[in-house]
Amino acid sequence: MAINFPSSPSIGDTYTFGTYSWVWTGDFWRASTVAEYTGATGAAGSVGATGLTGATGAQGDPGGATGATGATGPAGATGPSMQVYDEGTLLNSNALSLNFVGNGVVATDSGGAITVTITSGGGGSGTAGATGATGPAGVPGSPGSGNLTVLFDGGSPSTVLVAGPAFDCGGVS
């Protein structure tokens, strides 16, 4: 097969035939390169080692905006329970609070030992009720006079011993 070079080339023109190329010098065609075909792409090489860690950047503006609030953490452990007694009889072994109401209620705290004193007052007159059964012997006293003292001993669980005239425990059962 014959090579047919262009008949009026300009200096620097390139002519390729097959796998060979020539450049026109102004006087003759000079072989310049051997054109080669590109083969299929080879398999990718393995990943290189991780580079060194860069220096820490400058701190942001301390007067800038505050970031978002984080998630709420888990609930803490339940605190100690309190046992409530009425003249030695357990009323509640897991009370959360006591609320004494009425006239003459005084509560004091001495190193975690809570003392609640309820001064009983004279009652009004009304129709007498039926006589109830006789209970065990108690501390001598007369209704309408004296004090009721509740002492929290500060232990865990706390114990409350109520002794004295009847009163409203504020819903503790």
Side-chain angles (χ1 to χ4, degrees), residues 105-152:
V105 176
V106 177
T108 58
D109 180 359
S110 177
I114 307 297
T115 301
V116 177
T117 303
I118 301 174
T119 305
S120 61
S125 61
T127 304
T131 301
T134 301
V139 177
S142 61
S145 64
N147 292 327
L148 169 68
T149 300
V150 179
L151 174 64
F152 293 81

mmCIF file of all heavy atoms in Angstrom, residues 105-152:
data_model
loop_
_atom_site.group_PDB
_atom_site.id
_atom_site.type_symbol
_atom_site.label_atom_id
_atom_site.label_comp_id
_atom_site.label_asym_id
_atom_site.label_seq_id
_atom_site.Cartn_x
_atom_site.Cartn_y
_atom_site.Cartn_z
ATOM 1 N N VAL A 105 -49.160 23.741 113.945
ATOM 2 C CA VAL A 105 -48.155 22.841 113.375
ATOM 3 C C VAL A 105 -46.822 23.583 113.323
ATOM 4 O O VAL A 105 -46.728 24.673 112.769
ATOM 5 C CB VAL A 105 -48.545 22.370 111.960
ATOM 6 C CG1 VAL A 105 -47.450 21.520 111.363
ATOM 7 C CG2 VAL A 105 -49.858 21.610 111.996
ATOM 8 N N VAL A 106 -45.764 22.991 113.934
ATOM 9 C CA VAL A 106 -44.418 23.563 113.898
ATOM 10 C C VAL A 106 -43.464 22.454 113.494
ATOM 11 O O VAL A 106 -43.479 21.373 114.083
ATOM 12 C CB VAL A 106 -44.016 24.135 115.274
ATOM 13 C CG1 VAL A 106 -42.594 24.653 115.237
ATOM 14 C CG2 VAL A 106 -44.993 25.213 115.714
ATOM 15 N N ALA A 107 -42.633 22.687 112.466
ATOM 16 C CA ALA A 107 -41.646 21.700 112.019
ATOM 17 C C ALA A 107 -40.263 22.298 112.156
ATOM 18 O O ALA A 107 -40.035 23.454 111.809
ATOM 19 C CB ALA A 107 -41.909 21.305 110.572
ATOM 20 N N THR A 108 -39.310 21.493 112.703
ATOM 21 C CA THR A 108 -37.921 21.938 112.831
ATOM 22 C C THR A 108 -37.005 20.871 112.268
ATOM 23 O O THR A 108 -37.346 19.688 112.246
ATOM 24 C CB THR A 108 -37.563 22.204 114.303
ATOM 25 O OG1 THR A 108 -37.768 21.022 115.056
ATOM 26 C CG2 THR A 108 -38.400 23.334 114.883
ATOM 27 N N ASP A 109 -35.836 21.295 111.808
ATOM 28 C CA ASP A 109 -34.834 20.388 111.244
ATOM 29 C C ASP A 109 -33.556 20.539 112.041
ATOM 30 O O ASP A 109 -33.017 21.630 112.157
ATOM 31 C CB ASP A 109 -34.585 20.745 109.774
ATOM 32 C CG ASP A 109 -33.552 19.845 109.110
ATOM 33 O OD1 ASP A 109 -33.000 18.945 109.772
ATOM 34 O OD2 ASP A 109 -33.304 20.046 107.905
ATOM 35 N N SER A 110 -33.070 19.433 112.590
ATOM 36 C CA SER A 110 -31.834 19.458 113.356
ATOM 37 C C SER A 110 -30.921 18.360 112.809
ATOM 38 O O SER A 110 -31.058 17.190 113.171
ATOM 39 C CB SER A 110 -32.123 19.235 114.840
ATOM 40 O OG SER A 110 -30.899 19.197 115.567
ATOM 41 N N GLY A 111 -30.036 18.725 111.873
ATOM 42 C CA GLY A 111 -29.098 17.759 111.295
ATOM 43 C C GLY A 111 -29.786 16.637 110.538
ATOM 44 O O GLY A 111 -29.316 15.507 110.543
ATOM 45 N N GLY A 112 -30.877 16.908 109.879
ATOM 46 C CA GLY A 112 -31.579 15.897 109.103
ATOM 47 C C GLY A 112 -32.675 15.197 109.881
ATOM 48 O O GLY A 112 -33.451 14.447 109.308
ATOM 49 N N ALA A 113 -32.747 15.387 111.185
ATOM 50 C CA ALA A 113 -33.838 14.826 111.986
ATOM 51 C C ALA A 113 -34.944 15.864 112.042
ATOM 52 O O ALA A 113 -34.762 16.950 112.577
ATOM 53 C CB ALA A 113 -33.358 14.468 113.387
ATOM 54 N N ILE A 114 -36.083 15.544 111.449
ATOM 55 C CA ILE A 114 -37.205 16.480 111.377
ATOM 56 C C ILE A 114 -38.157 16.187 112.542
ATOM 57 O O ILE A 114 -38.564 15.046 112.740
ATOM 58 C CB ILE A 114 -37.982 16.320 110.057
ATOM 59 C CG1 ILE A 114 -37.033 16.410 108.860
ATOM 60 C CG2 ILE A 114 -39.124 17.316 109.972
ATOM 61 C CD1 ILE A 114 -36.354 17.727 108.707
ATOM 62 N N THR A 115 -38.504 17.208 113.285
ATOM 63 C CA THR A 115 -39.482 17.075 114.362
ATOM 64 C C THR A 115 -40.672 17.947 114.020
ATOM 65 O O THR A 115 -40.517 19.138 113.749
ATOM 66 C CB THR A 115 -38.889 17.516 115.718
ATOM 67 O OG1 THR A 115 -37.752 16.713 116.001
ATOM 68 C CG2 THR A 115 -39.910 17.369 116.831
ATOM 69 N N VAL A 116 -41.872 17.326 113.990
ATOM 70 C CA VAL A 116 -43.101 18.066 113.719
ATOM 71 C C VAL A 116 -43.908 18.039 115.010
ATOM 72 O O VAL A 116 -44.227 16.971 115.529
ATOM 73 C CB VAL A 116 -43.906 17.428 112.567
ATOM 74 C CG1 VAL A 116 -45.221 18.174 112.369
ATOM 75 C CG2 VAL A 116 -43.081 17.420 111.296
ATOM 76 N N THR A 117 -44.223 19.199 115.531
ATOM 77 C CA THR A 117 -45.006 19.311 116.762
ATOM 78 C C THR A 117 -46.343 19.928 116.412
ATOM 79 O O THR A 117 -46.402 20.981 115.770
ATOM 80 C CB THR A 117 -44.266 20.190 117.792
ATOM 81 O OG1 THR A 117 -42.986 19.630 118.023
ATOM 82 C CG2 THR A 117 -45.040 20.264 119.096
ATOM 83 N N ILE A 118 -47.411 19.239 116.849
ATOM 84 C CA ILE A 118 -48.759 19.754 116.609
ATOM 85 C C ILE A 118 -49.381 19.993 117.976
ATOM 86 O O ILE A 118 -49.602 19.058 118.742
ATOM 87 C CB ILE A 118 -49.607 18.757 115.798
ATOM 88 C CG1 ILE A 118 -48.928 18.483 114.459
ATOM 89 C CG2 ILE A 118 -51.030 19.279 115.622
ATOM 90 C CD1 ILE A 118 -49.595 17.413 113.641
ATOM 91 N N THR A 119 -49.630 21.245 118.290
ATOM 92 C CA THR A 119 -50.249 21.611 119.557
ATOM 93 C C THR A 119 -51.737 21.431 119.405
ATOM 94 O O THR A 119 -52.347 22.049 118.535
ATOM 95 C CB THR A 119 -49.909 23.066 119.913
ATOM 96 O OG1 THR A 119 -48.497 23.227 119.913
ATOM 97 C CG2 THR A 119 -50.473 23.433 121.270
ATOM 98 N N SER A 120 -52.323 20.560 120.230
ATOM 99 C CA SER A 120 -53.759 20.342 120.099
ATOM 100 C C SER A 120 -54.482 21.477 120.793
ATOM 101 O O SER A 120 -54.029 22.003 121.803
ATOM 102 C CB SER A 120 -54.159 18.990 120.686
ATOM 103 O OG SER A 120 -53.836 18.941 122.069
ATOM 104 N N GLY A 121 -55.602 21.834 120.290
ATOM 105 C CA GLY A 121 -56.381 22.922 120.870
ATOM 106 C C GLY A 121 -57.694 22.390 121.402
ATOM 107 O O GLY A 121 -58.054 21.239 121.209
ATOM 108 N N GLY A 122 -58.411 23.217 122.101
ATOM 109 C CA GLY A 122 -59.708 22.815 122.638
ATOM 110 C C GLY A 122 -60.685 22.614 121.508
ATOM 111 O O GLY A 122 -60.755 23.388 120.572
ATOM 112 N N GLY A 123 -61.445 21.571 121.570
ATOM 113 C CA GLY A 123 -62.410 21.277 120.531
ATOM 114 C C GLY A 123 -63.737 21.934 120.817
ATOM 115 O O GLY A 123 -64.044 22.300 121.949
ATOM 116 N N GLY A 124 -64.553 22.061 119.839
ATOM 117 C CA GLY A 124 -65.886 22.618 120.008
ATOM 118 C C GLY A 124 -66.817 21.562 120.594
ATOM 119 O O GLY A 124 -66.502 20.397 120.684
ATOM 120 N N SER A 125 -68.001 21.987 121.041
ATOM 121 C CA SER A 125 -68.944 21.033 121.610
ATOM 122 C C SER A 125 -69.841 20.514 120.511
ATOM 123 O O SER A 125 -70.169 21.207 119.569
ATOM 124 C CB SER A 125 -69.748 21.692 122.719
ATOM 125 O OG SER A 125 -70.479 22.785 122.195
ATOM 126 N N GLY A 126 -70.246 19.262 120.657
ATOM 127 C CA GLY A 126 -71.133 18.656 119.687
ATOM 128 C C GLY A 126 -71.825 17.474 120.315
ATOM 129 O O GLY A 126 -71.656 17.176 121.491
ATOM 130 N N THR A 127 -72.595 16.780 119.528
ATOM 131 C CA THR A 127 -73.319 15.623 120.029
ATOM 132 C C THR A 127 -72.330 14.510 120.290
ATOM 133 O O THR A 127 -71.482 14.209 119.457
ATOM 134 C CB THR A 127 -74.351 15.159 118.985
ATOM 135 O OG1 THR A 127 -75.203 16.266 118.687
ATOM 136 C CG2 THR A 127 -75.172 13.999 119.512
ATOM 137 N N ALA A 128 -72.448 13.869 121.420
ATOM 138 C CA ALA A 128 -71.532 12.795 121.772
ATOM 139 C C ALA A 128 -71.836 11.573 120.938
ATOM 140 O O ALA A 128 -72.990 11.244 120.689
ATOM 141 C CB ALA A 128 -71.660 12.472 123.259
ATOM 142 N N GLY A 129 -70.773 10.888 120.494
ATOM 143 C CA GLY A 129 -70.942 9.657 119.727
ATOM 144 C C GLY A 129 -70.969 8.460 120.645
ATOM 145 O O GLY A 129 -70.817 8.577 121.857
ATOM 146 N N ALA A 130 -71.150 7.305 120.037
ATOM 147 C CA ALA A 130 -71.188 6.061 120.799
ATOM 148 C C ALA A 130 -69.820 5.792 121.378
ATOM 149 O O ALA A 130 -68.801 6.173 120.817
ATOM 150 C CB ALA A 130 -71.616 4.914 119.899
ATOM 151 N N THR A 131 -69.776 5.083 122.454
ATOM 152 C CA THR A 131 -68.510 4.759 123.098
ATOM 153 C C THR A 131 -67.856 3.618 122.327
ATOM 154 O O THR A 131 -68.489 2.607 122.047
ATOM 155 C CB THR A 131 -68.740 4.332 124.559
ATOM 156 O OG1 THR A 131 -69.386 5.409 125.245
ATOM 157 C CG2 THR A 131 -67.441 3.971 125.239
ATOM 158 N N GLY A 132 -66.578 3.797 121.985
ATOM 159 C CA GLY A 132 -65.855 2.771 121.241
ATOM 160 C C GLY A 132 -65.231 1.770 122.176
ATOM 161 O O GLY A 132 -65.290 1.892 123.395
ATOM 162 N N ALA A 133 -64.616 0.755 121.568
ATOM 163 C CA ALA A 133 -63.955 -0.279 122.355
ATOM 164 C C ALA A 133 -62.777 0.324 123.079
ATOM 165 O O ALA A 133 -62.147 1.276 122.610
ATOM 166 C CB ALA A 133 -63.489 -1.402 121.443
ATOM 167 N N THR A 134 -62.457 -0.246 124.219
ATOM 168 C CA THR A 134 -61.344 0.245 125.009
ATOM 169 C C THR A 134 -60.048 -0.222 124.357
ATOM 170 O O THR A 134 -59.891 -1.407 124.056
ATOM 171 C CB THR A 134 -61.413 -0.281 126.449
ATOM 172 O OG1 THR A 134 -62.657 0.149 127.018
ATOM 173 C CG2 THR A 134 -60.253 0.231 127.279
ATOM 174 N N GLY A 135 -59.132 0.683 124.131
ATOM 175 C CA GLY A 135 -57.850 0.348 123.523
ATOM 176 C C GLY A 135 -56.807 0.066 124.574
ATOM 177 O O GLY A 135 -57.095 0.105 125.773
ATOM 178 N N PRO A 136 -55.579 -0.212 124.123
ATOM 179 C CA PRO A 136 -54.510 -0.481 125.078
ATOM 180 C C PRO A 136 -54.193 0.775 125.880
ATOM 181 O O PRO A 136 -54.443 1.893 125.439
ATOM 182 C CB PRO A 136 -53.334 -0.881 124.193
ATOM 183 C CG PRO A 136 -53.635 -0.279 122.873
ATOM 184 C CD PRO A 136 -55.119 -0.262 122.756
ATOM 185 N N ALA A 137 -53.623 0.546 127.053
ATOM 186 C CA ALA A 137 -53.266 1.669 127.917
ATOM 187 C C ALA A 137 -52.232 2.520 127.213
ATOM 188 O O ALA A 137 -51.336 2.010 126.543
ATOM 189 C CB ALA A 137 -52.732 1.165 129.247
ATOM 190 N N GLY A 138 -52.334 3.810 127.329
ATOM 191 C CA GLY A 138 -51.410 4.716 126.676
ATOM 192 C C GLY A 138 -50.855 5.710 127.648
ATOM 193 O O GLY A 138 -51.006 5.585 128.860
ATOM 194 N N VAL A 139 -50.242 6.726 127.115
ATOM 195 C CA VAL A 139 -49.674 7.784 127.941
ATOM 196 C C VAL A 139 -50.823 8.609 128.497
ATOM 197 O O VAL A 139 -51.712 9.032 127.746
ATOM 198 C CB VAL A 139 -48.736 8.669 127.098
ATOM 199 C CG1 VAL A 139 -48.195 9.817 127.925
ATOM 200 C CG2 VAL A 139 -47.625 7.835 126.512
ATOM 201 N N PRO A 140 -50.865 8.822 129.791
ATOM 202 C CA PRO A 140 -51.983 9.604 130.351
ATOM 203 C C PRO A 140 -52.007 11.008 129.763
ATOM 204 O O PRO A 140 -50.964 11.582 129.465
ATOM 205 C CB PRO A 140 -51.663 9.655 131.846
ATOM 206 C CG PRO A 140 -50.669 8.574 132.092
ATOM 207 C CD PRO A 140 -49.958 8.356 130.806
ATOM 208 N N GLY A 141 -53.168 11.532 129.565
ATOM 209 C CA GLY A 141 -53.351 12.881 129.056
ATOM 210 C C GLY A 141 -54.815 13.140 128.898
ATOM 211 O O GLY A 141 -55.653 12.262 129.103
ATOM 212 N N SER A 142 -55.165 14.339 128.487
ATOM 213 C CA SER A 142 -56.573 14.646 128.302
ATOM 214 C C SER A 142 -56.743 15.256 126.929
ATOM 215 O O SER A 142 -55.931 16.054 126.505
ATOM 216 C CB SER A 142 -57.050 15.616 129.386
ATOM 217 O OG SER A 142 -56.328 16.819 129.311
ATOM 218 N N PRO A 143 -57.799 14.860 126.194
ATOM 219 C CA PRO A 143 -58.027 15.442 124.868
ATOM 220 C C PRO A 143 -58.144 16.952 124.967
ATOM 221 O O PRO A 143 -58.669 17.465 125.951
ATOM 222 C CB PRO A 143 -59.351 14.810 124.427
ATOM 223 C CG PRO A 143 -59.504 13.588 125.278
ATOM 224 C CD PRO A 143 -58.803 13.888 126.571
ATOM 225 N N GLY A 144 -57.617 17.609 123.951
ATOM 226 C CA GLY A 144 -57.721 19.050 123.901
ATOM 227 C C GLY A 144 -56.545 19.748 124.551
ATOM 228 O O GLY A 144 -56.539 20.955 124.643
ATOM 229 N N SER A 145 -55.567 19.001 125.028
ATOM 230 C CA SER A 145 -54.405 19.666 125.599
ATOM 231 C C SER A 145 -53.176 18.829 125.276
ATOM 232 O O SER A 145 -53.286 17.658 124.971
ATOM 233 C CB SER A 145 -54.557 19.800 127.126
ATOM 234 O OG SER A 145 -54.577 18.518 127.707
ATOM 235 N N GLY A 146 -51.993 19.403 125.345
ATOM 236 C CA GLY A 146 -50.751 18.686 125.107
ATOM 237 C C GLY A 146 -50.232 18.908 123.686
ATOM 238 O O GLY A 146 -50.799 19.673 122.930
ATOM 239 N N ASN A 147 -49.168 18.209 123.356
ATOM 240 C CA ASN A 147 -48.527 18.362 122.060
ATOM 241 C C ASN A 147 -48.409 17.008 121.369
ATOM 242 O O ASN A 147 -48.343 15.973 122.026
ATOM 243 C CB ASN A 147 -47.108 18.929 122.216
ATOM 244 C CG ASN A 147 -47.132 20.353 122.709
ATOM 245 O OD1 ASN A 147 -48.032 21.110 122.397
ATOM 246 N ND2 ASN A 147 -46.135 20.712 123.503
ATOM 247 N N LEU A 148 -48.332 17.026 120.037
ATOM 248 C CA LEU A 148 -48.046 15.835 119.232
ATOM 249 C C LEU A 148 -46.680 16.058 118.614
ATOM 250 O O LEU A 148 -46.450 17.089 117.988
ATOM 251 C CB LEU A 148 -49.094 15.664 118.123
ATOM 252 C CG LEU A 148 -48.750 14.606 117.079
ATOM 253 C CD1 LEU A 148 -48.799 13.224 117.727
ATOM 254 C CD2 LEU A 148 -49.738 14.664 115.928
ATOM 255 N N THR A 149 -45.759 15.122 118.794
ATOM 256 C CA THR A 149 -44.409 15.273 118.258
ATOM 257 C C THR A 149 -44.146 14.166 117.259
ATOM 258 O O THR A 149 -44.404 13.001 117.551
ATOM 259 C CB THR A 149 -43.364 15.208 119.381
ATOM 260 O OG1 THR A 149 -43.645 16.262 120.291
ATOM 261 C CG2 THR A 149 -41.963 15.354 118.824
ATOM 262 N N VAL A 150 -43.652 14.517 116.061
ATOM 263 C CA VAL A 150 -43.256 13.550 115.036
ATOM 264 C C VAL A 150 -41.773 13.727 114.841
ATOM 265 O O VAL A 150 -41.303 14.820 114.561
ATOM 266 C CB VAL A 150 -43.992 13.801 113.697
ATOM 267 C CG1 VAL A 150 -43.542 12.800 112.673
ATOM 268 C CG2 VAL A 150 -45.498 13.731 113.914
ATOM 269 N N LEU A 151 -41.023 12.660 114.979
ATOM 270 C CA LEU A 151 -39.565 12.734 114.869
ATOM 271 C C LEU A 151 -39.118 11.907 113.685
ATOM 272 O O LEU A 151 -39.402 10.715 113.615
ATOM 273 C CB LEU A 151 -38.913 12.192 116.153
ATOM 274 C CG LEU A 151 -37.395 12.086 116.120
ATOM 275 C CD1 LEU A 151 -36.784 13.477 115.980
ATOM 276 C CD2 LEU A 151 -36.891 11.406 117.375
ATOM 277 N N PHE A 152 -38.456 12.532 112.717
ATOM 278 C CA PHE A 152 -37.834 11.831 111.605
ATOM 279 C C PHE A 152 -36.414 11.533 112.051
ATOM 280 O O PHE A 152 -35.647 12.442 112.334
ATOM 281 C CB PHE A 152 -37.788 12.717 110.341
ATOM 282 C CG PHE A 152 -39.133 13.012 109.764
ATOM 283 C CD1 PHE A 152 -39.935 14.016 110.288
ATOM 284 C CD2 PHE A 152 -39.621 12.296 108.683
ATOM 285 C CE1 PHE A 152 -41.163 14.295 109.755
ATOM 286 C CE2 PHE A 152 -40.849 12.577 108.144
ATOM 287 C CZ PHE A 152 -41.630 13.565 108.665
#
